[in-house]
Amino acid sequence: MKTNCNNDRETFELQKIASKKIVKLKSFYIHALIYIAGLIVFVLKQYYGVPLNFFPFKYLNYVVMVIWTSVFLFSAIDLFVSFKIFGEEWEERKLKSLLERKQKTQKWE
């Protein structure tokens, strides 16, 4: 009698990986929306002279925007380039090799 234990385990691992990707994408899109709002406020303050001199916008200057832009770009590159380099085929091969290694170490009596 053959069980579907290995197949169920693989699908569970793949679902776990997919849920991690979805969480990363969601956090990136939230960061993108906040970044766009901050960029709009920065442009309004610096180039149109809108008086935004209260607490959070008071410290929004070129240095903060350069750091924020670089962090945003690095997170975008990390998220999207890692999908290209370490694609689904790589993940499946790595997952299968890990599962095979665990099965080899288990000793059934």
Side-chain angles (χ1 to χ4, degrees):
M1 184 168 162
K2 191 174 184 180
T3 61
N4 290 333
C5 182
N6 291 337
N7 193 16
D8 292 339
R9 190 174 194 186
E10 287 179 13
T11 56
F12 176 73
E13 293 292 328
L14 289 174
Q15 286 175 347
K16 193 166 60 169
I17 290 170
S19 67
K20 285 182 184 179
K21 282 184 184 179
I22 291 170
V23 168
K24 281 185 179 181
L25 278 172
K26 182 181 175 184
S27 66
F28 175 76
Y29 289 140
I30 290 171
H31 185 196
L33 288 174
I34 294 170
Y35 173 74
I36 289 170
L39 188 63
I40 290 170
V41 168
F42 174 73
V43 168
L44 288 175
K45 182 181 171 189
Q46 293 294 325
Y47 297 110
Y48 292 106
V50 177
L52 298 170
N53 294 325
F54 48 93
F55 171 63
F57 303 123
K58 183 178 181 180
Y59 300 105
L60 196 62
N61 56 19
Y62 288 104
V63 174
V64 172
M65 288 308 294
V66 166
I67 292 170
W68 196 2
T69 303
S70 62
V71 168
F72 180 73
L73 289 176
F74 285 132
S75 67
I77 289 170
D78 178 45
L79 184 65
F80 295 115
V81 173
S82 68
F83 280 160
K84 299 290 183 189
I85 294 173
F86 302 113
E88 291 179 13
E89 294 113 14
W90 180 83
E91 288 178 359
E92 289 177 8
R93 281 185 285 144
K94 190 68 175 174
L95 181 63
K96 286 180 182 178
S97 70
L98 289 173
L99 290 174
E100 287 174 1
R101 189 179 321 149
K102 284 184 180 180
Q103 288 176 354
K104 286 180 182 178
T105 58
Q106 289 179 346
K107 295 181 181 177
W108 299 96
E109 293 182 26

